[in-house]
Amino acid sequence: MSEQPDNPFETPSPKGIRIVQATLRVVVAIQCWGYAAGHLHHGKQFALLEILRKGGKFPDAKIALFEDYTAYFLIACGVVSLFRPMWAMLIPLGAFQVGTAIGVILAQKGLLPYLEVMNQAVRMTVPTALLMVDFWPPRVKPTLAFCLSSIKMLRLATATTFFGHGMLVLYQYQAGGEFVEIIGRTARNVFHYPITRGHAQMVLVIIGIAEIALALNLMTSRNRMIAFVMATWGLFLAASYTLAYGQYGYDRTLIRIANCGAPLTVLLFWMKAIQEQKPIILPEIEDVG
């Protein structure tokens, strides 16, 4: 009986895929609720719809009503994604994230909006990554090909986000900006230690260089410690908005939860599905004659 060629789309699911699915479900849900909270609780406007408002072709009342509907839709998407993700919601969520990035680029000029889009890479990626490993309906088995593609996508997005954030931090070291304020507020609120603007800027240099180094390491190696550090640091970065601004920053913390969730998902997959082999030292083959 002749052997059939292996079909990458019919291979068994890798070990640990349930943990990957659960982690991505939580990340997508929290992210949705963060966007909704920003609008419903703090009155923030969605970036893409703000472009429509500036265009002047739609009445402000209709745009405001559509923003309310979008916020309620995001709440529903979060609930559904947490318990039973479906492509009919994950695809619009991905489009919403891409639209938000387009809105950032159209609203500003220069290099900064493109760095901000890089900073949002994980937010744009997690809905698609979840779709690839948890497709429904109909239920599609998360085969090895889909799982590896999802993890590679998350790995690239995480590196892009950290690289973009690191570049933004280094820019604000010279030009100043919100990051300087966040460091100062966090130091006062958490550690009860006021720091000067100069010290905050020096901290930004260290953070920026470290984030760029982490991004490069994640793309060039499968180092679990690097992924763990990025997940931990991503959680702190997300939490820093709440630590600095209290209830006025919690929505931004929820939106940025993917900064932690994406590298954590990669780490969990590496720990569960990949078994590292000890290196084998090969002897030199000597010529006999």
Side-chain angles (χ1 to χ4, degrees):
M1 186 175 184
S2 60
E3 294 184 358
Q4 297 293 330
D6 292 334
N7 185 341
F9 298 101
E10 295 181 357
T11 54
S13 300
K15 184 180 179 180
I17 191 59
R18 299 299 182 190
I19 297 179
V20 170
Q21 291 173 333
T23 305
L24 289 176
R25 287 185 182 189
V26 173
V27 171
V28 171
I30 293 177
Q31 189 169 269
C32 289
W33 296 333
Y35 279 111
H39 176 71
L40 297 176
H41 191 191
H42 298 307
K44 296 179 180 178
Q45 298 166 341
F46 298 116
L48 184 58
L49 297 181
E50 181 64 16
I51 300 299
L52 298 178
R53 180 177 282 105
K54 290 182 178 179
K57 296 182 179 180
F58 299 92
D60 289 346
K62 288 188 176 180
I63 295 179
L65 182 62
F66 187 67
E67 284 184 322
D68 290 341
Y69 288 152
T70 301
Y72 295 131
F73 174 74
L74 287 170
I75 293 175
C77 285
V79 175
V80 172
S81 298
L82 189 62
F83 295 101
R84 179 59 272 178
M86 60 178 65
W87 62 265
M89 283 192 170
L90 291 175
I91 292 177
L93 281 178
F96 171 80
Q97 296 287 357
V98 173
T100 300
I102 294 174
V104 171
I105 294 175
L106 295 178
Q108 305 178 43
K109 295 181 180 180
L111 179 62
L112 285 182
Y114 293 95
L115 292 178
E116 178 57 34
V117 169
M118 293 178 66
N119 186 33
Q120 296 181 16
V122 287
R123 301 180 224 170
M124 293 186 285
T125 303
V126 287
T128 303
L130 177 58
L131 180 68
M132 296 180 70
V133 298
D134 206 358
F135 191 95
W136 184 84
R139 183 181 183 278
V140 177
K141 184 178 69 173
T143 60
L144 182 62
F146 287 120
C147 294
L148 290 179
S149 298
S150 178
I151 295 300
K152 288 179 181 178
M153 185 184 302
L154 290 172
R155 186 178 179 183
L156 176 60
T158 300
T160 302
T161 290
F162 272 71
F163 184 86
H165 190 269
M167 293 297 293
L168 285 172
V169 165
L170 291 178
Y171 172 81
Q172 292 195 14
Y173 155 68
Q174 294 182 329
E178 185 183 36
F179 294 147
V180 177
E181 181 182 1
I182 289 175
I183 291 176
R185 283 175 170 268
T186 301
R188 289 194 302 270
N189 296 341
V190 178
F191 303 105
H192 306 289
Y193 180 80
I195 62 175
T196 64
R197 182 180 180 86
H199 288 160
Q201 289 177 312
M202 290 304 299
V203 172
L204 287 180
V205 174
I206 299 173
I207 292 175
I209 294 175
E211 288 181 343
I212 293 173
L214 287 171
L216 296 177
N217 270 279
L218 185 68
M219 290 306 301
T220 56
S221 68
R222 196 168 61 227
N223 190 315
R224 298 177 182 179
M225 182 56 65
I226 292 295
F228 173 77
V229 171
M230 296 179 81
T232 305
W233 181 244
L235 179 61
F236 180 78
L237 286 179
S240 65
Y241 290 89
T242 300
L243 297 176
Y245 300 111
Q247 63 174 340
Y248 298 102
Y250 82 92
D251 59 304
R252 301 170 73 179
T253 293
L254 299 181
I255 291 172
R256 287 163 176 78
I257 196 64
N259 290 13
C260 166
L264 178 62
T265 303
V266 173
L267 173 63
L268 292 174
F269 182 81
W270 284 351
M271 293 176 62
K272 289 291 185 178
I274 298 178
Q275 182 178 359
E276 300 290 349
Q277 301 291 334
K278 293 183 178 180
I280 300 176
I281 300 177
L282 301 177
E284 178 67 29
I285 300 178
E286 299 180 359
D287 295 332
V288 178

